[in-house]
Amino acid sequence: MNNDEPYNPLAMVNLAHSIVTHMEEMEPHPLDTIPRFHGAGLYAIYYSGPYHAYELLAERSREGDFTEPIYVGKAVPPGGRRGLDDPAGKKTLALGARLREHARSIRATANLEIEDFHARWLVVEDIWIALGESAMLRRHRPVWNALVDGFGNHVPGKGRIDGKRSRWDTIHPGRSWAHKYPERDETLEAIEQDIQEYLRSRLA
C-alpha cells in the first residue's frame, strides 16, 4: 500500500489479514483429541510425521512452530434456515465436527498416524468465513488443497460414484468408500514426486 494512501481497516484486504493473523495466533491442538465446542469458522491442519513426500512441510511443524499447514478448510452450519434462527452461528457444532471427520479419515489410512497431526481453528461470524478461508489459501497454498485433491471429500451418496479415485485416496488408501472409485491412471510414485517438487518450489 502507498504510504500516502489512508489506511482503511474495513477494506477487504485488511479484514482478511486480520482474520488470518488472529487464526494463526490460536494454539495448535492435537487432531486426535478435538473437543466438542459450538461455532462455525476456519481451521488449518499441520503435519509433523515421517511420510517422506512431506518432509519439507513436516520440518516446519516438528519444533512446535506449525507455520505451514498441510490443509486449510472451513465449516459452515448445515441447512438454509441457520441464518434466521442463529445468525451468529452459536448453536452449531459444525467446526468441531468437521475436524473430527478429518481425524477419522486420517485414522483410516494405512500410512499416516493421527498423532502426527495438529489443528488450529477460529470461530468466525458466518459472513467472514469465506473471506478468511480464501486468504489462508492464498497465503499458504497447502499441498492437500492445491495439489493432492480429495482429503475433504465426504462419503458419496448412493449412485453418486463419478470420476476417478482422488489423489489423496490413491496415496493414502484406507477410507472404506474410496475403493468404489476407479483407480487413477497415474501411479503413487508419480504423485509423490509431484508433491516433493511442489513443496521444494514453495518451501525450499
Side-chain angles (χ1 to χ4, degrees), residues 38-193:
H38 288 88
L42 314 171
Y43 60 88
I45 295 174
Y46 302 83
Y47 178 68
S48 59
Y51 194 89
H52 64 280
Y54 303 131
E55 178 61 26
L56 281 176
L57 183 70
E59 288 175 357
R60 306 297 179 95
S61 297
R62 288 189 184 133
E63 300 301 319
D65 295 334
F66 300 103
T67 57
E68 289 293 333
I70 197 168
Y71 186 77
V72 164
K74 68 178 184 293
V76 297
R81 295 180 58 199
R82 203 277 311 162
L84 295 176
D85 298 339
D86 182 23
K90 294 179 180 177
K91 297 177 182 177
T92 182
L93 298 169
L95 185 49
R98 185 65 169 145
L99 286 165
R100 287 190 293 276
E101 181 183 4
H102 288 321
R104 288 192 295 272
S105 289
I106 290 166
R107 288 191 190 98
T109 68
N111 53 16
L112 296 173
E113 299 293 336
I114 189 64
E115 293 80 9
D116 295 325
F117 290 85
H118 283 71
R120 284 187 173 103
W121 63 86
L122 181 66
V123 175
V124 183
E125 295 282 352
D126 187 55
I127 191 173
W128 306 118
I129 292 176
L131 177 66
E133 182 193 33
S134 295
M136 287 286 292
L137 290 172
R138 286 195 302 271
R139 174 175 290 192
H140 294 290
R141 289 179 282 164
V143 65
W144 282 0
N145 296 95
L147 188 73
V148 182
D149 69 289
F151 174 60
N153 290 355
H154 299 278
V155 179
K158 187 176 181 180
R160 293 184 60 190
I161 302 299
D162 297 318
K164 296 290 183 72
R165 192 173 304 173
S166 75
R167 276 188 147 196
W168 194 87
D169 287 293
T170 299
I171 65 171
H172 301 304
R175 290 196 286 199
S176 60
W177 46 267
H179 72 278
K180 299 177 183 178
Y181 290 90
E183 292 185 3
R184 301 182 68 86
D185 298 328
E186 58 186 342
T187 66
L188 181 150
E189 291 76 16
I191 298 172
E192 290 180 333
Q193 183 175 349

